[in-house]
Amino acid sequence: EDKVVQSPLSLVVHEGDTVTLNCSYEVTNFRSLLWYKQEKKAPTFLFMLTSSGIEKKSGRLSSILDKKELFSILNITATQTGDSAVYLCAFMKTSYDKVIFGPGTSLSVIP
Amino acid sequence: EADIYQTPRYLVIGTGKKITLECSQTMGHDKMYWYQQDPGMELHLIHYSYGVNSTEKGDLSSESTVSRIRTEHFPLTLESARPSHTSQYLCASSSDRGEAFFGQGTRLTVV
């Protein structure tokens, strides 16, 4: 059975801190891993990772995938209160194109 | 900018009523999804579609049904609403590359 585990489940940091969110997976026929940010309503897309070792960056956010060890990390540097959200890790498989989500990490950034 | 729309945004309805949640996208995506999410909880896939006339059940059992008669339209129907159906319903579509784009969600309350 496919499995996605995110850690920590909840995190509280101060503005300016750097955080690392973890996503590990056990998925057959893995195709790609995706990161999303969910604030109040719908998730918004952050990154899609298909190849190992290639870092994706967008401003203060970056992510990398390790297909050998079956995990991905999402880094946020110099956190701001606007980064407070649930960060969702998801995957897609080659055999069918469902997007399956992990439980999420709830990040709270306090001033 | 993602163009995927859900209506209504909020719905309060009595037990036993039939309801249809609408979802439309203008991106020409073949793949569309319905997720169910309770407050503070995980996203669960309840239905997905690969294209016109294709629908599949997701990982979470649901009493709802879907149809895909047109590429851009993926409505979800509950024949007889019950309080246990109270939840947020999120519609998404994805490109061939994989990243999913979400509508703003419908928050359903059955009283």
Side-chain angles (χ1 to χ4, degrees), chain A residues 2-47:
Chain A
D2 299 322
K3 188 167 66 173
V4 179
V5 176
Q6 290 189 245
S7 63
L9 290 180
S10 182
L11 186 60
V12 180
V13 300
H14 287 96
E15 269 192 314
D17 289 349
T18 294
V19 297
T20 298
L21 310 183
N22 302 287
C23 174
S24 63
Y25 61 92
E26 293 176 22
V27 174
T28 56
N29 302 314
F30 174 87
R31 174 183 170 186
S32 56
L33 187 143
L34 307 101
W35 282 98
Y36 287 82
K37 178 183 181 182
Q38 185 175 23
E39 293 178 83
K40 291 180 182 176
K41 283 286 184 182
T44 54
F45 174 76
L46 294 175
F47 299 111

Short mmCIF file of all heavy atoms in Angstrom, two decimals, chain A residues 2-47:
data_model
loop_
_atom_site.label_atom_id
_atom_site.label_comp_id
_atom_site.label_asym_id
_atom_site.label_seq_id
_atom_site.Cartn_x
_atom_site.Cartn_y
_atom_site.Cartn_z
N ASP A 2 0.55 2.20 -0.84
CA ASP A 2 1.32 3.44 -0.92
C ASP A 2 1.19 4.25 0.36
O ASP A 2 0.13 4.30 0.97
CB ASP A 2 0.84 4.27 -2.10
CG ASP A 2 1.02 3.54 -3.42
OD1 ASP A 2 2.04 2.85 -3.57
OD2 ASP A 2 0.13 3.68 -4.28
N LYS A 3 2.28 4.91 0.73
CA LYS A 3 2.27 5.65 1.99
C LYS A 3 3.10 6.92 1.85
O LYS A 3 4.17 6.92 1.24
CB LYS A 3 2.86 4.77 3.10
CG LYS A 3 2.73 5.34 4.48
CD LYS A 3 3.03 4.29 5.55
CE LYS A 3 4.46 3.84 5.53
NZ LYS A 3 4.77 2.96 6.68
N VAL A 4 2.59 8.00 2.41
CA VAL A 4 3.31 9.27 2.48
C VAL A 4 3.31 9.73 3.93
O VAL A 4 2.25 9.80 4.56
CB VAL A 4 2.65 10.35 1.60
CG1 VAL A 4 3.41 11.67 1.73
CG2 VAL A 4 2.61 9.90 0.16
N VAL A 5 4.49 10.03 4.46
CA VAL A 5 4.61 10.46 5.85
C VAL A 5 5.28 11.82 5.87
O VAL A 5 6.32 12.02 5.23
CB VAL A 5 5.45 9.46 6.67
CG1 VAL A 5 5.65 9.97 8.09
CG2 VAL A 5 4.78 8.09 6.69
N GLN A 6 4.67 12.75 6.59
CA GLN A 6 5.26 14.07 6.71
C GLN A 6 5.63 14.32 8.17
O GLN A 6 4.91 13.94 9.08
CB GLN A 6 4.30 15.15 6.23
CG GLN A 6 4.09 15.11 4.73
CD GLN A 6 3.32 16.31 4.23
OE1 GLN A 6 2.20 16.19 3.73
NE2 GLN A 6 3.93 17.48 4.35
N SER A 7 6.78 14.99 8.34
CA SER A 7 7.19 15.34 9.71
C SER A 7 7.88 16.69 9.70
O SER A 7 8.53 17.06 8.71
CB SER A 7 8.13 14.26 10.26
OG SER A 7 9.32 14.18 9.49
N PRO A 8 7.76 17.44 10.79
CA PRO A 8 6.83 17.17 11.87
C PRO A 8 5.39 17.42 11.41
O PRO A 8 5.17 17.98 10.35
CB PRO A 8 7.24 18.19 12.94
CG PRO A 8 7.78 19.33 12.15
CD PRO A 8 8.45 18.73 10.94
N LEU A 9 4.43 17.03 12.19
CA LEU A 9 3.03 17.31 11.85
C LEU A 9 2.68 18.75 12.17
O LEU A 9 1.79 19.33 11.53
CB LEU A 9 2.10 16.36 12.59
CG LEU A 9 2.16 14.89 12.13
CD1 LEU A 9 1.19 14.05 12.94
CD2 LEU A 9 1.85 14.78 10.64
N SER A 10 3.39 19.31 13.15
CA SER A 10 3.10 20.68 13.55
C SER A 10 4.39 21.33 14.02
O SER A 10 5.24 20.68 14.63
CB SER A 10 2.06 20.68 14.67
OG SER A 10 1.73 21.99 15.04
N LEU A 11 4.53 22.61 13.73
CA LEU A 11 5.79 23.31 14.02
C LEU A 11 5.48 24.78 14.29
O LEU A 11 4.72 25.40 13.54
CB LEU A 11 6.70 23.17 12.80
CG LEU A 11 8.13 23.67 12.83
CD1 LEU A 11 8.92 22.97 13.91
CD2 LEU A 11 8.77 23.44 11.46
N VAL A 12 6.10 25.32 15.35
CA VAL A 12 5.95 26.74 15.65
C VAL A 12 7.35 27.34 15.68
O VAL A 12 8.22 26.84 16.41
CB VAL A 12 5.25 26.97 16.99
CG1 VAL A 12 5.12 28.48 17.27
CG2 VAL A 12 3.87 26.32 17.01
N VAL A 13 7.58 28.39 14.90
CA VAL A 13 8.89 29.04 14.85
C VAL A 13 8.69 30.54 14.94
O VAL A 13 7.58 31.05 14.80
CB VAL A 13 9.65 28.68 13.55
CG1 VAL A 13 9.88 27.19 13.46
CG2 VAL A 13 8.92 29.20 12.32
N HIS A 14 9.81 31.24 15.16
CA HIS A 14 9.77 32.70 15.17
C HIS A 14 10.18 33.24 13.80
O HIS A 14 10.93 32.58 13.05
CB HIS A 14 10.71 33.25 16.26
CG HIS A 14 10.19 33.06 17.64
ND1 HIS A 14 10.56 32.01 18.44
CD2 HIS A 14 9.31 33.80 18.36
CE1 HIS A 14 9.94 32.10 19.60
NE2 HIS A 14 9.18 33.18 19.59
N GLU A 15 9.68 34.40 13.52
CA GLU A 15 10.06 35.06 12.26
C GLU A 15 11.57 35.10 12.13
O GLU A 15 12.28 35.38 13.10
CB GLU A 15 9.52 36.50 12.25
CG GLU A 15 8.15 36.64 11.65
CD GLU A 15 7.79 38.09 11.40
OE1 GLU A 15 8.00 38.93 12.28
OE2 GLU A 15 7.27 38.37 10.32
N GLY A 16 12.05 34.83 10.93
CA GLY A 16 13.48 34.84 10.69
C GLY A 16 14.13 33.48 10.78
O GLY A 16 15.25 33.29 10.26
N ASP A 17 13.45 32.54 11.43
CA ASP A 17 14.01 31.19 11.54
C ASP A 17 13.99 30.50 10.18
O ASP A 17 13.23 30.88 9.28
CB ASP A 17 13.21 30.35 12.53
CG ASP A 17 13.42 30.77 13.97
OD1 ASP A 17 14.34 31.57 14.23
OD2 ASP A 17 12.66 30.29 14.84
N THR A 18 14.82 29.49 10.05
CA THR A 18 14.80 28.61 8.89
C THR A 18 14.18 27.28 9.29
O THR A 18 14.49 26.76 10.37
CB THR A 18 16.23 28.38 8.35
OG1 THR A 18 16.74 29.62 7.84
CG2 THR A 18 16.24 27.34 7.24
N VAL A 19 13.29 26.78 8.46
CA VAL A 19 12.64 25.51 8.77
C VAL A 19 12.86 24.50 7.65
O VAL A 19 13.03 24.88 6.49
CB VAL A 19 11.11 25.68 9.00
CG1 VAL A 19 10.85 26.57 10.19
CG2 VAL A 19 10.43 26.20 7.76
N THR A 20 12.87 23.24 8.04
CA THR A 20 12.97 22.15 7.09
C THR A 20 11.81 21.19 7.34
O THR A 20 11.66 20.66 8.44
CB THR A 20 14.30 21.39 7.24
OG1 THR A 20 15.37 22.30 6.95
CG2 THR A 20 14.36 20.22 6.25
N LEU A 21 11.02 21.00 6.32
CA LEU A 21 9.88 20.09 6.41
C LEU A 21 10.21 18.82 5.63
O LEU A 21 10.81 18.89 4.55
CB LEU A 21 8.61 20.74 5.83
CG LEU A 21 8.29 22.14 6.34
CD1 LEU A 21 6.99 22.64 5.73
CD2 LEU A 21 8.22 22.18 7.84
N ASN A 22 9.82 17.70 6.19
CA ASN A 22 10.21 16.41 5.63
C ASN A 22 9.01 15.65 5.06
O ASN A 22 7.92 15.69 5.63
CB ASN A 22 10.86 15.54 6.70
CG ASN A 22 12.07 16.22 7.30
OD1 ASN A 22 13.11 16.32 6.67
ND2 ASN A 22 11.93 16.70 8.53
N CYS A 23 9.27 14.94 3.99
CA CYS A 23 8.26 14.09 3.38
C CYS A 23 8.95 12.79 2.95
O CYS A 23 9.87 12.82 2.15
CB CYS A 23 7.63 14.77 2.18
SG CYS A 23 6.49 13.72 1.25
N SER A 24 8.51 11.69 3.50
CA SER A 24 9.05 10.39 3.07
C SER A 24 7.91 9.57 2.48
O SER A 24 6.75 9.74 2.86
CB SER A 24 9.71 9.64 4.23
OG SER A 24 8.76 9.35 5.23
N TYR A 25 8.24 8.71 1.56
CA TYR A 25 7.18 8.01 0.85
C TYR A 25 7.58 6.57 0.54
O TYR A 25 8.76 6.24 0.43
CB TYR A 25 6.81 8.74 -0.45
CG TYR A 25 7.94 8.86 -1.45
CD1 TYR A 25 8.14 7.91 -2.44
CD2 TYR A 25 8.82 9.94 -1.39
CE1 TYR A 25 9.17 8.03 -3.34
CE2 TYR A 25 9.87 10.06 -2.28
CZ TYR A 25 10.03 9.11 -3.27
OH TYR A 25 11.07 9.22 -4.16
N GLU A 26 6.59 5.75 0.44
CA GLU A 26 6.73 4.39 -0.07
C GLU A 26 5.67 4.24 -1.14
O GLU A 26 4.49 4.09 -0.83
CB GLU A 26 6.51 3.36 1.04
CG GLU A 26 7.57 3.36 2.11
CD GLU A 26 7.25 2.38 3.23
OE1 GLU A 26 6.48 1.44 3.02
OE2 GLU A 26 7.78 2.58 4.34
N VAL A 27 6.09 4.35 -2.36
CA VAL A 27 5.14 4.40 -3.48
C VAL A 27 5.67 3.52 -4.60
O VAL A 27 6.81 3.67 -5.02
CB VAL A 27 4.98 5.85 -3.99
CG1 VAL A 27 4.10 5.89 -5.24
CG2 VAL A 27 4.40 6.74 -2.90
N THR A 28 4.84 2.64 -5.08
CA THR A 28 5.24 1.86 -6.26
C THR A 28 4.95 2.69 -7.51
O THR A 28 4.03 3.49 -7.54
CB THR A 28 4.44 0.55 -6.33
OG1 THR A 28 3.04 0.86 -6.33
CG2 THR A 28 4.76 -0.34 -5.15
N ASN A 29 5.76 2.48 -8.51
CA ASN A 29 5.60 3.20 -9.79
C ASN A 29 5.57 4.71 -9.57
O ASN A 29 4.75 5.42 -10.15
CB ASN A 29 4.34 2.75 -10.51
CG ASN A 29 4.34 1.26 -10.78
OD1 ASN A 29 5.33 0.70 -11.23
ND2 ASN A 29 3.24 0.59 -10.46
N PHE A 30 6.49 5.18 -8.79
CA PHE A 30 6.57 6.61 -8.48
C PHE A 30 6.86 7.40 -9.75
O PHE A 30 7.72 7.03 -10.55
CB PHE A 30 7.66 6.84 -7.44
CG PHE A 30 7.94 8.29 -7.16
CD1 PHE A 30 7.21 8.96 -6.20
CD2 PHE A 30 8.95 8.97 -7.84
CE1 PHE A 30 7.47 10.30 -5.93
CE2 PHE A 30 9.22 10.29 -7.57
CZ PHE A 30 8.49 10.96 -6.61
N ARG A 31 6.15 8.53 -9.90
CA ARG A 31 6.40 9.40 -11.05
C ARG A 31 6.97 10.74 -10.61
O ARG A 31 7.99 11.19 -11.09
CB ARG A 31 5.13 9.59 -11.85
CG ARG A 31 5.25 10.61 -12.98
CD ARG A 31 3.91 10.79 -13.67
NE ARG A 31 3.93 11.90 -14.60
CZ ARG A 31 2.86 12.34 -15.24
NH1 ARG A 31 1.70 11.76 -15.06
NH2 ARG A 31 2.95 13.35 -16.06
N SER A 32 6.27 11.42 -9.69
CA SER A 32 6.75 12.73 -9.26
C SER A 32 6.20 13.04 -7.88
O SER A 32 5.20 12.49 -7.44
CB SER A 32 6.35 13.81 -10.25
OG SER A 32 4.96 13.82 -10.45
N LEU A 33 6.90 13.96 -7.19
CA LEU A 33 6.48 14.42 -5.87
C LEU A 33 6.18 15.90 -5.97
O LEU A 33 6.88 16.65 -6.66
CB LEU A 33 7.59 14.16 -4.85
CG LEU A 33 7.26 14.44 -3.39
CD1 LEU A 33 7.92 13.39 -2.50
CD2 LEU A 33 7.65 15.83 -2.97
N LEU A 34 5.12 16.31 -5.32
CA LEU A 34 4.68 17.69 -5.41
C LEU A 34 4.53 18.28 -4.00
O LEU A 34 4.16 17.58 -3.05
CB LEU A 34 3.33 17.79 -6.13
CG LEU A 34 3.26 17.12 -7.50
CD1 LEU A 34 2.55 15.77 -7.42
CD2 LEU A 34 2.53 18.01 -8.49
N TRP A 35 4.83 19.56 -3.89
CA TRP A 35 4.61 20.28 -2.64
C TRP A 35 3.55 21.36 -2.87
O TRP A 35 3.58 22.06 -3.89
CB TRP A 35 5.90 20.96 -2.17
CG TRP A 35 6.89 20.04 -1.53
CD1 TRP A 35 7.97 19.46 -2.09
CD2 TRP A 35 6.89 19.62 -0.15
NE1 TRP A 35 8.65 18.69 -1.17
CE2 TRP A 35 8.02 18.77 0.03
CE3 TRP A 35 6.07 19.87 0.95
CZ2 TRP A 35 8.33 18.18 1.25
CZ3 TRP A 35 6.37 19.29 2.16
CH2 TRP A 35 7.49 18.45 2.31
N TYR A 36 2.66 21.49 -1.88
CA TYR A 36 1.61 22.49 -1.93
C TYR A 36 1.57 23.25 -0.61
O TYR A 36 1.95 22.73 0.44
CB TYR A 36 0.23 21.84 -2.14
CG TYR A 36 0.01 21.30 -3.52
CD1 TYR A 36 0.50 20.06 -3.89
CD2 TYR A 36 -0.69 22.04 -4.46
CE1 TYR A 36 0.30 19.56 -5.16
CE2 TYR A 36 -0.90 21.55 -5.73
CZ TYR A 36 -0.40 20.31 -6.08
OH TYR A 36 -0.60 19.83 -7.34
N LYS A 37 1.07 24.47 -0.67
CA LYS A 37 0.84 25.30 0.52
C LYS A 37 -0.67 25.52 0.64
O LYS A 37 -1.31 25.95 -0.33
CB LYS A 37 1.56 26.64 0.38
CG LYS A 37 1.34 27.60 1.53
CD LYS A 37 2.05 28.92 1.26
CE LYS A 37 1.87 29.90 2.40
NZ LYS A 37 2.52 31.22 2.14
N GLN A 38 -1.22 25.21 1.80
CA GLN A 38 -2.64 25.43 2.01
C GLN A 38 -2.83 26.38 3.18
O GLN A 38 -2.51 26.07 4.31
CB GLN A 38 -3.38 24.11 2.26
CG GLN A 38 -4.89 24.29 2.37
CD GLN A 38 -5.64 22.98 2.48
OE1 GLN A 38 -5.09 21.97 2.91
NE2 GLN A 38 -6.91 22.99 2.12
N GLU A 39 -3.40 27.56 2.89
CA GLU A 39 -3.63 28.54 3.93
C GLU A 39 -5.04 28.40 4.47
O GLU A 39 -5.28 27.72 5.44
CB GLU A 39 -3.33 29.94 3.40
CG GLU A 39 -1.84 30.11 3.09
CD GLU A 39 -1.48 31.44 2.52
OE1 GLU A 39 -1.30 32.39 3.30
OE2 GLU A 39 -1.34 31.53 1.29
N LYS A 40 -5.99 29.07 3.84
CA LYS A 40 -7.34 28.96 4.39
C LYS A 40 -8.21 27.99 3.58
O LYS A 40 -8.99 27.23 4.14
CB LYS A 40 -7.99 30.34 4.41
CG LYS A 40 -7.35 31.27 5.43
CD LYS A 40 -8.00 32.62 5.42
CE LYS A 40 -7.33 33.56 6.40
NZ LYS A 40 -7.88 34.92 6.34
N LYS A 41 -8.08 28.06 2.30
CA LYS A 41 -8.99 27.28 1.48
C LYS A 41 -8.26 26.21 0.69
O LYS A 41 -7.90 25.17 1.19
CB LYS A 41 -9.73 28.23 0.54
CG LYS A 41 -10.84 29.00 1.22
CD LYS A 41 -12.02 28.10 1.50
CE LYS A 41 -13.18 28.87 2.10
NZ LYS A 41 -14.33 28.01 2.43
N ALA A 42 -7.99 26.51 -0.57
CA ALA A 42 -7.47 25.48 -1.45
C ALA A 42 -5.95 25.49 -1.46
O ALA A 42 -5.31 26.52 -1.31
CB ALA A 42 -8.00 25.70 -2.86
N PRO A 43 -5.33 24.31 -1.64
CA PRO A 43 -3.87 24.26 -1.77
C PRO A 43 -3.39 24.99 -3.02
O PRO A 43 -4.07 24.97 -4.06
CB PRO A 43 -3.59 22.75 -1.89
CG PRO A 43 -4.81 22.07 -1.36
CD PRO A 43 -5.95 22.98 -1.68
N THR A 44 -2.24 25.61 -2.91
CA THR A 44 -1.61 26.23 -4.06
C THR A 44 -0.29 25.52 -4.34
O THR A 44 0.44 25.17 -3.42
CB THR A 44 -1.36 27.73 -3.85
OG1 THR A 44 -0.61 27.90 -2.64
CG2 THR A 44 -2.66 28.48 -3.74
N PHE A 45 -0.01 25.34 -5.60
CA PHE A 45 1.13 24.56 -6.04
C PHE A 45 2.45 25.29 -5.75
O PHE A 45 2.55 26.50 -5.98
CB PHE A 45 1.00 24.28 -7.54
CG PHE A 45 2.18 23.62 -8.16
CD1 PHE A 45 2.41 22.27 -7.97
CD2 PHE A 45 3.05 24.34 -8.94
CE1 PHE A 45 3.50 21.66 -8.55
CE2 PHE A 45 4.14 23.73 -9.53
CZ PHE A 45 4.37 22.39 -9.33
N LEU A 46 3.44 24.56 -5.24
CA LEU A 46 4.77 25.13 -4.99
C LEU A 46 5.80 24.54 -5.95
O LEU A 46 6.43 25.25 -6.72
CB LEU A 46 5.20 24.87 -3.55
CG LEU A 46 4.40 25.54 -2.44
CD1 LEU A 46 4.89 25.07 -1.07
CD2 LEU A 46 4.48 27.06 -2.54
N PHE A 47 6.01 23.23 -5.85
CA PHE A 47 7.06 22.58 -6.63
C PHE A 47 6.61 21.20 -7.11
O PHE A 47 5.82 20.55 -6.45
CB PHE A 47 8.32 22.34 -5.78
CG PHE A 47 8.98 23.56 -5.23
CD1 PHE A 47 8.96 23.82 -3.87
CD2 PHE A 47 9.63 24.45 -6.07
CE1 PHE A 47 9.56 24.95 -3.36
CE2 PHE A 47 10.24 25.58 -5.57
CZ PHE A 47 10.21 25.83 -4.21
#
